[in-house]
């Protein structure tokens, strides 16, 4: 297995976990002033970029840019689904699973070998 096949998805998963906390983690801290939520989020987002940029650089060539983007979007959906349940306490509903299935289908289409 090539390094890109292993490291690209692992780094994208890590970056998505960090970005989910950067974008939505502050929602559990409503007493924070907005400026503090922004600074904390930017700090986390910096760390996220430290994973996302290498993921895309390592993966590009093995994957196309379009494949990298669709892979990232699907990873984001699964990471956020877990986050919304575990951290925000929101239930997953049937229509969320239907939307996820559509995005998983997008992965299938983007990875089809079409000449």
């Amino acid at each position: 297995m090539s390094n890109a096949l292993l490291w690209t998805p692992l780094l994208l998963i890590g970056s998505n976990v960090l970005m989910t906390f950067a974008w939505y983690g502050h929602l559990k801290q409503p007493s924070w002033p907005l400026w503090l939520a922004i600074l904390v989020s930017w700090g986390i987002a910096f760390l996220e970029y430290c994973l996302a940029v290498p993921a895309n650089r390592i993966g590009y060539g093995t994957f196309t840019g379009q494949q990298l983007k669709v892979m990232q979007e699907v990873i984001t959906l699964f990471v956020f689904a877990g986050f919304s349940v575990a951290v925000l306490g929101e239930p997953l509903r049937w229509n969320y699973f239907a939307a996820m299935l559509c995005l998983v289908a997008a992965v299938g289409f983007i990875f089809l070998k079409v000449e």
Side-chain angles (χ1 to χ4, degrees):
M1 179 187 302
S2 82
N3 283 340
L5 291 174
L6 174 68
W7 285 107
T8 301
L10 288 177
L11 289 168
L12 286 174
I13 289 167
S15 75
N16 274 279
V17 167
L18 288 170
M19 194 50 116
T20 298
F21 275 94
W23 283 6
Y24 302 101
H26 61 87
L27 297 177
K28 295 300 283 186
Q29 304 298 331
S31 64
W32 284 4
L34 186 56
W35 65 266
L36 179 59
I38 291 169
L39 286 178
V40 169
S41 293
W42 276 10
I44 296 169
F46 171 76
L47 297 174
E48 182 269 338
Y49 272 74
C50 290
L51 297 179
V53 171
N56 288 307
R57 292 194 86 156
I58 291 167
Y60 190 66
T62 301
F63 304 104
T64 66
Q66 292 140 348
Q67 289 171 331
L68 286 168
K69 182 60 181 171
V70 170
M71 185 186 325
Q72 183 269 330
E73 292 297 336
V74 170
I75 290 168
T76 297
L77 241 162
F78 281 96
V79 167
F80 188 78
F83 178 87
S84 69
V85 171
V87 177
L88 299 178
E90 299 175 354
L92 290 178
R93 295 187 169 85
W94 73 267
N95 56 323
Y96 300 167
F97 288 108
M100 284 185 219
L101 184 61
C102 290
L103 283 172
V104 170
V107 171
F109 284 117
I110 202 76
F111 281 94
L112 281 177
K113 298 288 183 203
V114 179
E115 301 298 322

